[in-house]
Amino acid sequence: MIQYEPCWLRYEKNDQYKEPCFETIIAKELSPIFCVALEELKFAITSMFGIEPSVISISKPMERSFIWIGTLDDKELKDVLLDSEKFRSMYSDAYIIRSHIHNGKLRIYIAGKTSANTLYGVFHFLRLLQMKEDIHHLSIVEHSNNSLRMINHWDNMDGGIERGYAGKSIFFDNGQFTKNRRRIKDYARLLASVGINAVSINNVNVHQLETKLITEEFLPEVEEVAGIFRTYGIKTFLSINYASPVEIGGLSTADPLDPQVRRWWKETAKRIYQYIPDFGGFVVKADSEFRPGPFTYGRDHAEGANMLAEALAPFGGLVIWRCFVYNCQQDWRDRRTDRAKAAYDHFKPLDGRFRENVVLQIKNGPMDFQVREPVSPLFGAMPKTNQMMEVQITQEYTGQQKHLCFLIPQWKEALEFDTYVNGKGSEVKKVIDGSLFGYRYSGIVGVSNIGNDSNWTGHTLAQANLYGFGRLAWNPDLSAEEIANEWIVQTFGDDPQVIEAVSWMLLASWRIYENYTSPLGVGWMVNPGHHYGPNVDGYEYSHWGTYHYADRDGIGVDRTVATGTGYTAQYFPENAAMYESLDTCPDELLLFFHYVSYTHRLHSGETVIQHIYNTHFEGVEQAKQLRKRWEQLKGKIDEKRYHDVLERLTIQVEHAKEWRDVINTYFYRKSGIDDQYGRKIYR
Amino acid sequence: MIQYEPCWLRYEKNDQYKEPCFETIIAKELSPIFCVALEELKFAITSMFGIEPSVISISKPMERSFIWIGTLDDKELKDVLLDSEKFRSMYSDAYIIRSHIHNGKLRIYIAGKTSANTLYGVFHFLRLLQMKEDIHHLSIVEHSNNSLRMINHWDNMDGGIERGYAGKSIFFDNGQFTKNRRRIKDYARLLASVGINAVSINNVNVHQLETKLITEEFLPEVEEVAGIFRTYGIKTFLSINYASPVEIGGLSTADPLDPQVRRWWKETAKRIYQYIPDFGGFVVKADSEFRPGPFTYGRDHAEGANMLAEALAPFGGLVIWRCFVYNCQQDWRDRRTDRAKAAYDHFKPLDGRFRENVVLQIKNGPMDFQVREPVSPLFGAMPKTNQMMEVQITQEYTGQQKHLCFLIPQWKEALEFDTYVNGKGSEVKKVIDGSLFGYRYSGIVGVSNIGNDSNWTGHTLAQANLYGFGRLAWNPDLSAEEIANEWIVQTFGDDPQVIEAVSWMLLASWRIYENYTSPLGVGWMVNPGHHYGPNVDGYEYSHWGTYHYADRDGIGVDRTVATGTGYTAQYFPENAAMYESLDTCPDELLLFFHYVSYTHRLHSGETVIQHIYNTHFEGVEQAKQLRKRWEQLKGKIDEKRYHDVLERLTIQVEHAKEWRDVINTYFYRKSGIDDQYGRKIYR
């Protein structure tokens, strides 16, 4: 009995099709991944159409309708998959879905470059069925340029999830692995259905017990989990503690140049691969926020990462090295140090020094997953070093899954941002898919938003962020609208009113959240620690390097070369010039780059202070609108999900008012300037 | 082997006296309290003089020098203690110390009204010896008007101490009672040495496990602890959970008027007294900060307290009912609600409705132990209701025992505050000693600052607050200077340079702490939750009712009747008028009572903003001075204590700079007004 939601894999009863092809599935191969593909297909067809298909393993087509599950290599498909050769060579991941009418009988061919790709093809085909698309004229050729489409879990073995807002871990509880393997399998299904091919299962902040995940104490169970993911084409990674040689290895140092340390890691890698032959590799947060790293021993990040990479290389493993490195003991009085500059300053000089099985994992923005940030200038700045982008699916700074915030538009902006590294058209998506510099490994990684809540993500509508992350990781060219539409139809059905309302809600939600929270890109006006709710000065006098510098005259961080921290110079000239000048700096990032007076006029024509008031009053009205649109769907959504979402939207409206009033009062008290429309601002 | 400090009971080697009287102690009675008095006297004499005295239990004086330990009833003392009759009738606690030369032989007579009083006399005598006073002409008559001199522990059974800054609990650890009974005995010695006669051992926030302290599961161990305190004349109290009848009694209600609930508490009281015949009673935090209480059942505090009092009355037990009741879910936008008014508003109307074995425990100020507050207007406002004053020895808001803050001067101010309830001369000390209204039970209670740190209080110099609390509870007329001097000599010896330096440090420290923290009585500019360190807006937009309302023009809470919350009207007319008017409101409380502009001129002649800058710059210089004065004592204090204190003073200096800079920058950014002396204020 499944006690939790199927999310977008609902396979609701479907009377769109009357196809005899659903009765027969032909599959040549019966590898584990093919087996789960067949299992999924059978389950879905039975669920949608009430037909239990027969699976036939033959080597030539029969004279009837069928669905053929194969690979691009299948000789039998030569006539059908004319262009398969091309895809086999060009992309790491590709599949084809073709429909073919033969003697009046519909045949569907699904073939992947690998068995995992075939599984993706099956999920794609099931998506088409759930969306009630015409399947008589399919000629789909799909591929992904991102070789790594990864999820990072920040799960701890006590069952807690750092920045988790959807219950406890599905992997761990009470210092042990959980017993509910069915839940992990269903999670793997969700991930594979949107093309995720890598997952790290433990927090990047690796605590004492988790340090032992790479030992024989836990490797048998890591392998059990990896085995589940493996059958869905997903590689398992572990976050490691850089100080492991000291903490569990009995050595006196973790110096990456120390021969004993190198040997220890090599032996450790060998042991891991004995248990998990396709182990993905290590995710490493080193020398960041009090985590140990090579700095302790006077080594740099390249030396630190390469030592691990050397240990993993014989087995094909990767080192995913996080670039979230900055001085987290900054003095707030020090206006010269700029946390935004840190990743670039640390890593740019090391370009070319990393081994080829090292991938740098760079957060989308230079700070830390704020609702609005510019794109990290590190993207494109290291042509000789594998890079991937890290985004946060879990809504740490964007409402913690109590507020609706569909993040696909935010990620799209980052992916579409033109770095100008090779002139116009050098978008971030082309950096991280490796096409611009020929990276061997690259892609995109998202920090998970799921937990053991029955709906997986706390807020039911936050499922769309997980879905959308996977879809975007597969194909960054998909629009937010397309993704939203796909997700809604699969999740709530195809009622046009539902589609229209939920689509509007999703697509408007990021800007709405931005409206009633921190204005104009300045960020960080949140309660310290848990990061929920407004606190304008919460981080203003802290050691975290996160300031807004609001005074009675104005607000913002001067990051210009001319008069500020010089951060703008980290961008390629076109962007550097754009951000440097008040004339060209986009409004939504104004306070990230410039200190301006409250009466400074934006390109929009509003003053800064009036913009703050306007967006905060409007933001609350928009939040109310979110709730109202949802309420109009009563009766069109099942009761449970309807009420769950309504409850969260109500919390959001109330909390948006708190945001509005705190922000408005704060700036009124500081500026002394009245709202020009005379709305209520508490004194 | 004692691993922790003896504090002021050091009994260092002492060559001041060559008295044969130390060789013989005469004691008629050998009750448990007398036994510990003798034990202490013997231990101290042996330690100081290298003489082990003989104890002789006879009924008539011998022809030699001796120390006589008796009671005021001793017939043999009729000639010596001429005026004993008077003290026996007048005071609940009294003792006499007399020296008498008989045939050239010095005899010391120590006699108390009760055996506990005799013990106090012994400790008094030992204090004189430690201070090397002349003992040939003693004619000391001591009494205390405060019948309750109490310590509240906020210890939890997991070993943690709420607002504790000196290690873990000495009573509890890991859900159980601790095994180190010697430590509890030594704690009882310290308390008895300064006249404490009541102690509650568990936190007023009574959690799940602690709720069961009144059950047979834990009563045997409560009695063990109570037995230790009993031999030092100290009664043991427990904090109780008002919802106990529901949580552990199996009832469906805790309504104080419900017959079953009444019966349950009566049975509970009976059970407790079977274990602990002299059990002190209950300390109750009800309907406060999410604790359960009578409000749940539509009953008031009198009904709530009287029900418990009725259960305890047959056994002579007391209900200590805390008045820390306010709306802790206030809307910061609501300027009409004033937390400062809450205790008075809740309790004043109930005057005369409490049973005579109920005592109201009222915090010194109307808010919560800020470095500076006015005195609670509730003192004196309830002539027909027993009142006692609660102060916080533990330094929650006054530097958490990392900063030096000798609190005796603060408490003195509260005790000396004239309420004017019966015209001039109606000081708070006369309210709470019961003399003004003839209270049956009253006194003073302090929240403990001790834990299992080897020096008991984290900061060695914070021992002076525990010492001073006890001394002041015994006799509120003692000056802060006298108390400091006593403590220093007993703790560090009688080197004049040490006395002079430490005395200056102690006596200056409260004002120094005030200088670099929250200005002019406004309070609350601390980090929420743990309350350590500056955060000017930390509570400004919270639900705790603790605001300063600083804007670009000025700061302060208007609590006047004319234009504000009307809080001033809770005082008797003389004080109400003083606080209501800007002309007469004391500078140090200005912002507690008035909102004023930054350029408002104080009585001192400074503007408010300049006062803020001046005190904050000066505060840091003074903190440096504290450290410097201490450094000059190097070699005159044992190494361990010297370095422990130096380390804390260094932390204090650094943290004072943080306070200075945050406060100054905050107000500079808000006011835009420069320091007139051009000192460094970060922008």
Side-chain angles (χ1 to χ4, degrees), chain A residues 14-44:
Chain A
N14 184 327
D15 51 14
Q16 177 77 6
Y17 308 99
K18 304 280 174 235
E19 308 300 343
C21 71
F22 296 141
E23 291 167 22
T24 308
I25 303 169
I26 298 179
K28 259 181 71 181
E29 189 186 330
L30 286 174
S31 69
I33 296 183
F34 262 70
C35 285
V36 302
L38 290 170
E39 178 186 46
E40 191 75 25
L41 195 54
K42 281 176 68 179
F43 171 69

Short mmCIF file of all heavy atoms in Angstrom, two decimals, chain A residues 14-44:
data_model
loop_
_atom_site.label_atom_id
_atom_site.label_comp_id
_atom_site.label_asym_id
_atom_site.label_seq_id
_atom_site.Cartn_x
_atom_site.Cartn_y
_atom_site.Cartn_z
N ASN A 14 -7.60 6.77 -18.59
CA ASN A 14 -7.39 7.59 -19.78
C ASN A 14 -8.18 6.97 -20.92
O ASN A 14 -7.94 5.83 -21.31
CB ASN A 14 -5.87 7.57 -20.06
CG ASN A 14 -5.45 8.45 -21.21
OD1 ASN A 14 -6.19 8.62 -22.18
ND2 ASN A 14 -4.24 8.99 -21.11
N ASP A 15 -9.17 7.71 -21.44
CA ASP A 15 -9.96 7.11 -22.53
C ASP A 15 -9.71 7.79 -23.86
O ASP A 15 -10.53 7.79 -24.76
CB ASP A 15 -11.46 7.12 -22.17
CG ASP A 15 -11.90 8.50 -21.74
OD1 ASP A 15 -11.14 9.48 -21.97
OD2 ASP A 15 -13.00 8.62 -21.15
N GLN A 16 -8.54 8.34 -23.99
CA GLN A 16 -8.17 9.05 -25.20
C GLN A 16 -7.85 8.08 -26.34
O GLN A 16 -8.08 8.41 -27.50
CB GLN A 16 -6.93 9.91 -24.90
CG GLN A 16 -6.36 10.67 -26.07
CD GLN A 16 -7.20 11.90 -26.39
OE1 GLN A 16 -8.15 12.22 -25.67
NE2 GLN A 16 -6.89 12.56 -27.49
N TYR A 17 -7.31 6.96 -25.97
CA TYR A 17 -6.75 6.07 -27.00
C TYR A 17 -7.53 4.76 -27.06
O TYR A 17 -7.98 4.25 -26.04
CB TYR A 17 -5.28 5.75 -26.70
CG TYR A 17 -4.44 6.98 -26.47
CD1 TYR A 17 -4.15 7.39 -25.18
CD2 TYR A 17 -3.95 7.71 -27.54
CE1 TYR A 17 -3.38 8.52 -24.95
CE2 TYR A 17 -3.17 8.84 -27.32
CZ TYR A 17 -2.90 9.24 -26.03
OH TYR A 17 -2.15 10.35 -25.81
N LYS A 18 -7.64 4.23 -28.26
CA LYS A 18 -8.20 2.88 -28.45
C LYS A 18 -7.18 2.13 -29.29
O LYS A 18 -7.42 1.78 -30.43
CB LYS A 18 -9.55 2.92 -29.18
CG LYS A 18 -10.60 3.80 -28.53
CD LYS A 18 -11.27 3.08 -27.33
CE LYS A 18 -12.21 4.02 -26.60
NZ LYS A 18 -11.89 4.12 -25.16
N GLU A 19 -6.02 1.91 -28.75
CA GLU A 19 -4.93 1.41 -29.57
C GLU A 19 -4.61 -0.04 -29.23
O GLU A 19 -4.30 -0.37 -28.09
CB GLU A 19 -3.65 2.25 -29.33
CG GLU A 19 -3.85 3.73 -29.49
CD GLU A 19 -4.32 4.14 -30.88
OE1 GLU A 19 -4.20 3.34 -31.83
OE2 GLU A 19 -4.82 5.27 -31.01
N PRO A 20 -4.64 -0.89 -30.18
CA PRO A 20 -4.24 -2.26 -29.90
C PRO A 20 -2.75 -2.38 -29.59
O PRO A 20 -2.31 -3.38 -29.01
CB PRO A 20 -4.58 -3.00 -31.20
CG PRO A 20 -4.72 -1.96 -32.24
CD PRO A 20 -5.06 -0.67 -31.57
N CYS A 21 -1.97 -1.36 -29.93
CA CYS A 21 -0.53 -1.45 -29.65
C CYS A 21 -0.24 -1.59 -28.17
O CYS A 21 0.82 -2.07 -27.77
CB CYS A 21 0.22 -0.25 -30.22
SG CYS A 21 -0.08 1.29 -29.33
N PHE A 22 -1.15 -1.17 -27.30
CA PHE A 22 -0.93 -1.27 -25.86
C PHE A 22 -0.96 -2.72 -25.37
O PHE A 22 -0.61 -3.00 -24.25
CB PHE A 22 -1.96 -0.45 -25.09
CG PHE A 22 -1.87 1.01 -25.38
CD1 PHE A 22 -3.02 1.78 -25.50
CD2 PHE A 22 -0.64 1.63 -25.53
CE1 PHE A 22 -2.94 3.14 -25.76
CE2 PHE A 22 -0.57 3.00 -25.80
CZ PHE A 22 -1.72 3.75 -25.91
N GLU A 23 -1.44 -3.61 -26.26
CA GLU A 23 -1.58 -4.99 -25.81
C GLU A 23 -0.28 -5.77 -25.89
O GLU A 23 -0.13 -6.81 -25.26
CB GLU A 23 -2.66 -5.70 -26.66
CG GLU A 23 -4.05 -5.16 -26.36
CD GLU A 23 -5.07 -5.62 -27.39
OE1 GLU A 23 -4.83 -6.64 -28.06
OE2 GLU A 23 -6.10 -4.93 -27.53
N THR A 24 0.65 -5.28 -26.67
CA THR A 24 1.87 -6.05 -26.89
C THR A 24 3.10 -5.16 -26.77
O THR A 24 3.18 -4.10 -27.38
CB THR A 24 1.87 -6.68 -28.29
OG1 THR A 24 0.67 -7.39 -28.47
CG2 THR A 24 3.07 -7.61 -28.46
N ILE A 25 4.03 -5.63 -25.99
CA ILE A 25 5.31 -4.94 -25.89
C ILE A 25 6.39 -5.91 -26.34
O ILE A 25 6.43 -7.06 -25.87
CB ILE A 25 5.62 -4.50 -24.44
CG1 ILE A 25 4.49 -3.59 -23.92
CG2 ILE A 25 6.96 -3.80 -24.36
CD1 ILE A 25 4.58 -3.34 -22.43
N ILE A 26 7.20 -5.45 -27.24
CA ILE A 26 8.30 -6.29 -27.69
C ILE A 26 9.61 -5.76 -27.13
O ILE A 26 9.89 -4.57 -27.22
CB ILE A 26 8.36 -6.33 -29.22
CG1 ILE A 26 7.06 -6.95 -29.75
CG2 ILE A 26 9.59 -7.11 -29.70
CD1 ILE A 26 6.99 -7.03 -31.25
N ALA A 27 10.35 -6.62 -26.51
CA ALA A 27 11.63 -6.21 -25.93
C ALA A 27 12.65 -7.30 -26.17
O ALA A 27 12.43 -8.46 -25.85
CB ALA A 27 11.47 -5.96 -24.43
N LYS A 28 13.75 -6.92 -26.79
CA LYS A 28 14.79 -7.91 -27.09
C LYS A 28 15.62 -8.23 -25.87
O LYS A 28 16.03 -9.35 -25.63
CB LYS A 28 15.73 -7.33 -28.17
CG LYS A 28 15.46 -7.85 -29.56
CD LYS A 28 16.46 -7.25 -30.52
CE LYS A 28 17.87 -7.80 -30.32
NZ LYS A 28 18.83 -7.19 -31.26
N GLU A 29 15.88 -7.18 -25.14
CA GLU A 29 16.87 -7.28 -24.06
C GLU A 29 16.13 -7.38 -22.72
O GLU A 29 15.04 -6.84 -22.58
CB GLU A 29 17.71 -5.98 -24.10
CG GLU A 29 18.91 -5.96 -23.20
CD GLU A 29 19.59 -4.58 -23.21
OE1 GLU A 29 19.53 -3.88 -24.25
OE2 GLU A 29 20.15 -4.22 -22.17
N LEU A 30 16.69 -8.04 -21.76
CA LEU A 30 16.05 -8.07 -20.44
C LEU A 30 17.05 -7.71 -19.33
O LEU A 30 17.11 -8.34 -18.29
CB LEU A 30 15.39 -9.42 -20.18
CG LEU A 30 14.10 -9.61 -20.98
CD1 LEU A 30 13.54 -11.02 -20.81
CD2 LEU A 30 13.03 -8.59 -20.59
N SER A 31 17.86 -6.69 -19.58
CA SER A 31 18.79 -6.18 -18.56
C SER A 31 17.96 -5.54 -17.44
O SER A 31 16.78 -5.26 -17.61
CB SER A 31 19.70 -5.13 -19.19
OG SER A 31 18.93 -3.98 -19.50
N PRO A 32 18.58 -5.32 -16.28
CA PRO A 32 17.82 -4.73 -15.17
C PRO A 32 17.11 -3.43 -15.55
O PRO A 32 15.96 -3.21 -15.19
CB PRO A 32 18.89 -4.50 -14.10
CG PRO A 32 19.93 -5.53 -14.39
CD PRO A 32 19.95 -5.67 -15.88
N ILE A 33 17.80 -2.56 -16.28
CA ILE A 33 17.15 -1.29 -16.63
C ILE A 33 15.99 -1.53 -17.58
O ILE A 33 14.93 -0.92 -17.47
CB ILE A 33 18.17 -0.29 -17.23
CG1 ILE A 33 19.23 0.06 -16.17
CG2 ILE A 33 17.48 0.96 -17.74
CD1 ILE A 33 20.25 1.08 -16.61
N PHE A 34 16.17 -2.44 -18.53
CA PHE A 34 15.05 -2.77 -19.41
C PHE A 34 13.87 -3.33 -18.64
O PHE A 34 12.72 -3.05 -18.91
CB PHE A 34 15.50 -3.77 -20.49
CG PHE A 34 15.83 -3.11 -21.78
CD1 PHE A 34 16.97 -2.31 -21.88
CD2 PHE A 34 15.00 -3.23 -22.88
CE1 PHE A 34 17.26 -1.68 -23.08
CE2 PHE A 34 15.29 -2.59 -24.08
CZ PHE A 34 16.43 -1.82 -24.18
N CYS A 35 14.20 -4.13 -17.62
CA CYS A 35 13.13 -4.70 -16.82
C CYS A 35 12.30 -3.62 -16.14
O CYS A 35 11.08 -3.70 -16.10
CB CYS A 35 13.70 -5.66 -15.78
SG CYS A 35 14.20 -7.22 -16.52
N VAL A 36 12.98 -2.59 -15.57
CA VAL A 36 12.18 -1.54 -14.91
C VAL A 36 11.44 -0.72 -15.95
O VAL A 36 10.34 -0.22 -15.69
CB VAL A 36 13.00 -0.63 -13.96
CG1 VAL A 36 13.68 -1.45 -12.87
CG2 VAL A 36 13.96 0.26 -14.68
N ALA A 37 12.02 -0.57 -17.15
CA ALA A 37 11.30 0.15 -18.21
C ALA A 37 10.03 -0.59 -18.57
O ALA A 37 8.95 0.01 -18.72
CB ALA A 37 12.20 0.33 -19.44
N LEU A 38 10.14 -1.91 -18.69
CA LEU A 38 8.96 -2.72 -19.01
C LEU A 38 7.96 -2.69 -17.87
O LEU A 38 6.76 -2.59 -18.08
CB LEU A 38 9.39 -4.17 -19.29
CG LEU A 38 10.16 -4.36 -20.59
CD1 LEU A 38 10.76 -5.77 -20.66
CD2 LEU A 38 9.23 -4.11 -21.79
N GLU A 39 8.49 -2.79 -16.66
CA GLU A 39 7.63 -2.75 -15.47
C GLU A 39 6.82 -1.45 -15.46
O GLU A 39 5.61 -1.45 -15.23
CB GLU A 39 8.53 -2.85 -14.23
CG GLU A 39 7.82 -2.77 -12.90
CD GLU A 39 8.83 -2.73 -11.73
OE1 GLU A 39 9.83 -1.97 -11.79
OE2 GLU A 39 8.62 -3.47 -10.76
N GLU A 40 7.51 -0.34 -15.72
CA GLU A 40 6.85 0.96 -15.71
C GLU A 40 5.78 1.03 -16.81
O GLU A 40 4.66 1.50 -16.58
CB GLU A 40 7.89 2.09 -15.92
CG GLU A 40 7.37 3.49 -15.68
CD GLU A 40 7.20 3.81 -14.18
OE1 GLU A 40 7.90 3.18 -13.35
OE2 GLU A 40 6.35 4.65 -13.86
N LEU A 41 6.17 0.56 -17.96
CA LEU A 41 5.26 0.63 -19.11
C LEU A 41 4.02 -0.22 -18.85
O LEU A 41 2.89 0.21 -19.09
CB LEU A 41 6.01 0.12 -20.35
CG LEU A 41 5.42 0.41 -21.72
CD1 LEU A 41 5.15 1.90 -21.93
CD2 LEU A 41 6.40 -0.10 -22.80
N LYS A 42 4.24 -1.42 -18.35
CA LYS A 42 3.10 -2.30 -18.05
C LYS A 42 2.20 -1.69 -16.97
O LYS A 42 0.98 -1.66 -17.10
CB LYS A 42 3.62 -3.67 -17.55
CG LYS A 42 4.09 -4.58 -18.66
CD LYS A 42 4.68 -5.87 -18.11
CE LYS A 42 3.62 -6.74 -17.45
NZ LYS A 42 4.24 -8.00 -16.95
N PHE A 43 2.85 -1.21 -15.92
CA PHE A 43 2.09 -0.61 -14.81
C PHE A 43 1.25 0.57 -15.31
O PHE A 43 0.06 0.70 -15.00
CB PHE A 43 3.06 -0.17 -13.72
CG PHE A 43 2.43 0.65 -12.63
CD1 PHE A 43 1.52 0.06 -11.74
CD2 PHE A 43 2.73 2.00 -12.48
CE1 PHE A 43 0.93 0.82 -10.73
CE2 PHE A 43 2.13 2.76 -11.48
CZ PHE A 43 1.23 2.16 -10.60
N ALA A 44 1.89 1.40 -16.13
CA ALA A 44 1.22 2.61 -16.59
C ALA A 44 0.07 2.27 -17.55
O ALA A 44 -1.03 2.83 -17.46
CB ALA A 44 2.22 3.54 -17.28
#
